[in-house]
């Protein structure tokens, strides 16, 4: 969801939210980008997602030419707009392909140990609750909850664009980035590309976790663990009953383990109900291995009870459809948790927090060992 601001200002005849104006809300202190610096890469990726939000707001408010606000969000970092991605259902701009101007000259002077910039960043916005986009975006939000995002035109189109970019430039030169609903698109597309043998560097800001937010609802750590432990037992039991005992013997064929080497950058805020359960999801998995219940968790972590009972496969087993699995089933991630106190849900879920120079983060690497 867009982190909108009620502070609409008129500047040189242009009406815009402060959060859409790069010179007011962007990381103008980043005059030189060090691609080895994770904060710099995070800032660029999140600003390009904000650029997509602003492209759509420019369209809705008919801000064209010098009145446009979106271009500042990519030009500051030496990117150009290569393509805008439009949802045919409502004509809204839901994503964009950005190209780095100095990609070839940078690589020419590159040293062996430095991290190269991307040639292309494909970025996706989240929900905009404005008249021109609200209806379509909310329908797609509901698809995330029902794990049916893969059936939408927007997602199918996004994957086609990603596949085309990778075919032209190779997967190591392409980044994915998305926020909220856009992070769900990037996450699901990233899974598909990884299983096809083309893992992409991915920046997932506040992605929706399509399950009960235990992390936010319960305060007691012991109670959280108890609820999740019971859930793991049930999921493992149902998975074995539904799929047969071969399920946990042939793990090498499991589509879930094919994702284990993919390490998307996952950005979550503990005060954001939409994404906070990722914290508990990974914490619980580690706890289960610590207490000797690793065999149970190996089965439970790759399955969703709802998907198992509905016959969707839950993300485990060689025959499961990789698209129909729950979004949140993720083997590995490099997770960044915003430890700063957010004043309200809007800020906790917003994109602007991730380039804040006062950002206070906790960084946790979660690697699935199969």
């Amino acid at each position: 969801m867009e982190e909108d601001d009620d502070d609409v200002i008129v500047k040189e005849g242009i009406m815009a939210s402060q959060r859409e104006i790069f010179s007011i809300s962007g990381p103008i202190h980043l005059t030189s980008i060090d691609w080895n610096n994770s904060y710099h890469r995070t800032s660029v990726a999140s600003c390009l997602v904000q650029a997509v939000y602003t492209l759509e707001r420019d369209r809705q408010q008919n801000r064209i030419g010098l009145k446009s606000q979106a271009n500042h969000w990519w030009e500051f970092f030496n990117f150009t707009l290569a393509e805008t991605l439009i949802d045919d259902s409502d004509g809204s701009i839901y994503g964009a392909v950005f190209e780095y101007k100095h990609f070839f000259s940078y690589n020419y002077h590159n040293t062996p140990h430095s991290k190269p910039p991307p040639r292309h960043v494909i970025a996706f916005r989240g929900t905009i609750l404005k008249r021109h986009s609200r209806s379509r975006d909310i329908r797609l939000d509901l698809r995330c909850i029902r794990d049916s995002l893969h059936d939408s035109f927007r997602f199918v189109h996004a994957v086609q664009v990603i596949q085309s970019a990778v075919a032209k430039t190779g997967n190591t030169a392409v980044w994915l980035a998305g926020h909220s609903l856009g992070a769900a698109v990037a996450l699901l597309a990233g899974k598909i590309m990884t299983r096809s043998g083309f893992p992409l560097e991915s920046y997932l800001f506040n992605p929706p976790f399509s399950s009960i937010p235990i992390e936010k609802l319960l305060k007691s750590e012991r109670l959280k663990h108890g609820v999740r432990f019971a859930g793991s037992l049930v999921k493992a039991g149902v998975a074995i009953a539904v799929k047969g005992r071969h399920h946990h013997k042939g793990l090498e064929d499991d589509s879930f383990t094919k994702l284990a080497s993919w390490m998307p950058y996952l950005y979550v805020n503990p005060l954001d109900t939409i994404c906070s359960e990722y914290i508990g999801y990974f914490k619980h998995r580690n706890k289960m291995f610590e207490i000797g219940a690793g065999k149970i968790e190996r089965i439970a972590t790759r399955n969703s009870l709802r998907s198992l009972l509905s016959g969707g496969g839950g993300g485990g087993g060689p025959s499961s459809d990789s698209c129909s699995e729950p979004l949140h089933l993720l083997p590995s991630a490099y997770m960044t948790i915003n430890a700063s106190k957010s004043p309200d849900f809007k800020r906790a879920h917003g994109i602007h927090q991730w380039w804040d120079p006062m950002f206070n983060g906790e960084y946790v690497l979660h690697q699935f060992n199969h």
Side-chain angles (χ1 to χ4, degrees):
M1 185 173 66
E2 179 189 31
E3 185 185 359
D4 211 352
D5 196 322
D6 296 329
D7 257 346
V8 175
I9 62 172
V10 178
K11 183 180 177 183
E12 297 174 354
I14 304 164
M15 188 172 71
S17 158
Q18 286 190 23
R19 294 192 166 265
E20 294 169 350
I21 301 173
F22 184 84
S23 60
I24 296 175
S25 298
I28 55 175
H29 59 285
L30 289 179
T31 52
S32 177
I33 298 299
D34 174 6
W35 295 102
N36 286 319
N37 184 308
S38 61
Y39 167 70
H40 287 202
R41 294 197 311 275
T42 295
S43 296
V44 171
S46 53
C47 281
L48 292 179
V49 173
Q50 176 60 33
V52 181
Y53 275 117
T54 312
L55 272 169
E56 172 57 13
R57 296 293 287 131
D58 279 349
R59 183 191 75 88
Q60 291 184 8
Q61 297 194 18
N62 199 31
R63 297 188 304 229
I64 57 176
L66 294 175
K67 291 185 177 180
S68 170
Q69 294 301 306
N71 58 303
H72 304 293
W73 290 93
W74 64 77
E75 288 175 354
F76 185 83
F77 301 109
N78 293 307
F79 281 85
T80 58
L81 178 63
E83 184 180 356
T84 53
L85 310 184
I86 297 170
D87 190 323
D88 277 359
S89 301
D90 61 359
S92 69
I93 298 169
Y94 75 88
V97 181
F98 300 100
E99 185 167 8
Y100 185 57
K101 287 181 184 177
H102 309 310
F103 178 75
F104 293 107
S105 59
Y106 184 92
N107 273 356
Y108 182 76
H109 298 293
N110 208 1
T111 59
H113 300 294
S114 65
K115 190 173 179 67
R119 182 174 178 185
H120 290 110
V121 178
I122 306 174
F124 307 100
R125 66 166 176 83
T127 304
I128 296 182
L129 295 174
K130 302 295 183 184
R131 182 168 56 89
H132 300 283
S133 51
R134 178 173 52 218
S135 176
R136 176 65 174 159
D137 286 357
I138 290 176
R139 284 202 298 272
L140 289 170
D141 289 334
L142 294 174
R143 279 184 172 272
C144 288
I145 296 170
R146 298 196 307 263
D147 299 317
S148 62
L149 183 64
H150 63 282
D151 282 335
S152 65
F153 166 83
R154 185 178 295 187
F155 179 74
V156 172
H157 182 240
V159 171
Q160 289 171 348
V161 170
I162 293 166
Q163 289 171 333
S164 176
V166 170
K168 288 177 187 173
T169 62
N171 60 305
T172 57
V174 177
W175 286 10
L176 298 183
H179 174 247
S180 194
L181 171 60
V185 172
L187 173 53
L188 193 53
K191 286 184 175 185
I192 290 172
M193 296 303 293
T194 300
R195 286 178 173 132
S196 302
F198 301 100
L200 301 174
E201 187 160 326
S202 302
Y203 294 80
L204 312 172
F205 302 100
N206 306 79
F209 192 97
S210 55
S211 186
I212 298 169
I214 298 169
E215 189 69 20
K216 193 79 168 63
L217 293 177
L218 303 179
K219 300 300 180 189
S220 164
E221 288 298 323
R222 180 176 290 185
L223 187 55
K224 287 178 191 176
H225 174 63
V227 171
R228 292 192 178 108
F229 183 80
S232 290
L233 287 177
V234 172
K235 280 192 289 185
V238 172
I240 292 172
V242 170
K243 302 176 183 180
R245 293 194 173 275
H246 69 276
H247 169 77
H248 61 283
K249 293 177 182 175
L251 291 183
E252 295 308 316
D253 296 325
D254 189 348
S255 63
F256 185 82
T257 59
K258 290 178 184 176
L259 294 176
S261 60
W262 181 49
M263 301 291 298
Y265 295 94
L266 184 65
Y267 298 84
V268 297
N269 189 312
L271 298 177
D272 175 12
T273 313
I274 290 172
C275 69
S276 61
E277 188 57 21
Y278 276 102
I279 300 170
Y281 171 76
F282 285 114
K283 190 190 298 179
H284 170 66
R285 200 167 75 188
N286 292 343
K287 182 77 171 176
M288 290 290 279
F289 279 89
E290 285 172 13
I291 65 173
K295 286 185 178 179
I296 294 171
E297 189 58 23
R298 281 182 195 280
I299 301 171
T301 193
R302 70 191 71 215
N303 287 287
S304 155
L305 192 58
R306 181 178 58 191
S307 187
L308 282 168
L309 295 175
S310 65
S319 62
S320 72
D321 179 358
S322 63
C323 287
S324 62
E325 71 184 32
L327 270 171
H328 63 262
L329 296 183
L330 190 61
S332 307
Y334 188 78
M335 186 161 67
T336 298
I337 302 169
N338 189 349
S340 307
K341 290 293 182 186
S342 301
D344 51 41
F345 169 76
K346 265 188 178 179
R347 301 302 167 92
H349 187 63
I351 187 73
H352 288 67
Q353 64 185 300
W354 303 113
W355 66 74
D356 188 333
M358 303 303 289
F359 176 76
N360 177 24
E362 296 174 8
Y363 307 92
V364 191
L365 176 63
H366 295 286
Q367 176 74 59
F368 184 73
N369 297 314
H370 57 284

